[in-house]
Amino acid sequence: MISAASTIRILLLDADADRPHPIIAALLEHAIEWVSARSDDPDMGLRSHGSVDAVLLEADGAGSDVLQACARLRQCAGNALLPIVILMSHADERFIEKACAAGATDCFPRTLSARRLSLRLSRLVDAARMQRDLTTFQQRAGRDALTGLLDRHGFITALRSAPAGTDPVDGMTAALVLIDIDRFKRFNDSLGPMAGDQVLSTCARRVRAIARAFPDALIGRVASDEFAIFLPRLPDSASAHRAAQRVMHQFSRPVSCGGLECMMTASVGLAHVTRCQPMTAERVDGLMAHAGMALSAAKAAGGHVVRAFEPGVASGRVSGLDLESRLHRAVERGELVLHYQPIIDPRTRRVTGLEALMRWQRDGQLVPPDGFIPLAEESGLIFPMGEWAIGEALAQLGAWRALGLAVPGVAVNIHPGHLARSALAHAVEHCMQASGLPASALQIELTETGVMRDIERSMESLHALRELGVQLALDDFGTGSSSLAYLTQLPVDTLKIDRSFVQRLDHDRQSHVVVRSIATLAQALGLSTVAEGVENAAQLDALRSFGCDTVQGYFFARPMPGGELAQWWSRFEHASRHCEPLLQPS
Ligand code: C2E
Ligand code: CA
Ligand code: CA
């Protein structure tokens, strides 16, 4: 990591490299060393000067040769993360767009003072280093430190990179089995986290043993107490069901834990497809979503069972179409509800906002998002649902404020596909007017991966939302791969650090590097951070030491119905006033 005092070395590419602009000459006083080369052969300039931290290109007039030089540099191997900055003779939006398309990391006006220029350069260099750390880590990671199995990210990546070859395997069945240990928390709670780890290690051994019977199986630990087995070549669907049953029996044998023999059972979700076509990334995502729905159904049935995804499994016996029309009606009948989870500044112990999380109140049961959001996404219902959530969250915010609760704002999750629809900005504007609240009271959360998938379109809509004054957050940050060039241009305010990193802080030193890198990256880009999924004081301490601005997680509060907030709020304020230990999970 670079400290304020260390020197940065930049390569200046200029048509007239012998007589640089006076602002460049002044950079030396600000700990920025430069070497120069002519801009007509940028790769040569870079090669002859060895390693530099950034490249500065001076644009004159229309600057088209600078854009060419920029594009050439960016395409050279090893330069993907190198900050390339264009110094413009005058600010011009069209030029900035073209520069970004050519791979420039940022464009600065030449009117900046040398001091400000050096400051902005060193921030970019910092951000690029952090991103390099993060990328290296992500490439190395993908393994779960406790069990040595692939972690969720590694498992999904491996699945997506064409399991068992890319050839269609005519008539074979591919199956995904998800296993969740029933009431795993009791091992941790009653015997301590070491005992919990021991159970997980035993489970990992069982998963490996099962996989040995299927030579091309892929296995992973995809969540804290959730394991996955992918079987790409089974003769038929009956074999998939048999395999899932076998898994459940293997997981329902006693485990030794903290010196005791303990009973254990597991819930199993199965999804399978007949492989007439290769497994594309979309099919893999679909299979994961379906196995997840089947697992939710197994849990909802009380655990210790196998449920297979047949369209409609999430609702028991209804068919997929039925479920879809029930979800349709749910929107109209008001069966969707939002629960709210506080986001807290750990230094001031103040609530800085709340995240709205959707649930479906169906037949007296509260269905969590993974039981219906995938279907809503598939059917397009996610769009009206997202718009409903914005209106509902703002109405709730108005109601809390009327009660005297100083809730600063609410964050609503929006499906990134919504950005491609111009209706989103209109809907937001309409909701803002209806609520009478300032636009800054609303934050929209969009997943990093979703935004980056269609960056051109996303950029346009994000700007439209930003113009309305709405706050924007990149959700699940760290799980996708944002390019720094886009991050510097994206009009977002906040990065939400994915909870998988926060939860690994307990076991795994490398996740400290990631979280610290993201926090520093955010600071370098002037963005704030929220760390998600904070469950204990040790994670909180680590996050504070990394400079994370705010945190969210069961340690402070679980998501709760809007009507329960006032009571939680007064308990929280009381604890904060009396400097009592921060609230424990309820
Ligand atoms: P997310 O946006 O990452 O939401 C955070 C999830 O983390 C929530 O799960 C929350 O309950 C959970 N969480 C918070 N603190 C902790 C903790 O300390 N430990 C653990 N283990 N989990 C914690 P939830 O409510 O089940 O939501 C899951 C996902 O469903 C959300 O992930 C989001 O992607 C999606 N979702 C929820 N509501 C909506 C919505 O209104 N619209 C859309 N498009 N997606 C939604
Ligand atoms: Ca979220
Ligand atoms: Ca998240």
Side-chain angles (χ1 to χ4, degrees), residues 338 341 355-359 369 373 382 389 413-415 445 475-476 499 503 532-535 552-554 559:
L338 294 177
Q341 189 177 32
E355 177 177 5
L357 293 155
M358 202 179 281
R359 275 97 182 87
I373 294 278
I382 197 74
N413 291 283
I414 290 294
H415 182 55
E445 294 191 6
D475 205 355
D476 303 347
R499 70 172 186 276
Q503 298 193 335
E532 304 180 316
V534 180
E535 291 184 355
Q552 173 184 357
Y554 296 170

Side-chain angles (χ1 to χ4, degrees), residues 13 78 224 239 263 284 380 388 493 528 559-560 585:
L13 290 176
S224 60
S239 318
M263 294 299 292
V284 164
W388 168 81
D493 309 273
S528 64
M560 62 190 106

Side-chain angles (χ1 to χ4, degrees), residues 13 38 40-48 69 72-73 76 79:
L13 290 176
R38 289 179 59 86
D40 45 9
D41 193 357
D43 348 347
M44 182 61 201
L46 203 54
R47 276 198 306 274
S48 58
R72 267 171 67 187
L73 270 181
C76 284
N79 286 356

Side-chain angles (χ1 to χ4, degrees), residues 3 33 88 99 112 135 147 166 201 233 315 362 515 548 550 572:
S3 72
E33 236 177 63
M88 303 180 293
L112 283 182
T135 312
T147 61
T166 43
S201 302
R233 288 160 189 269
S315 69
R362 196 183 63 203
V515 178
C548 284
T550 52
F572 181 71

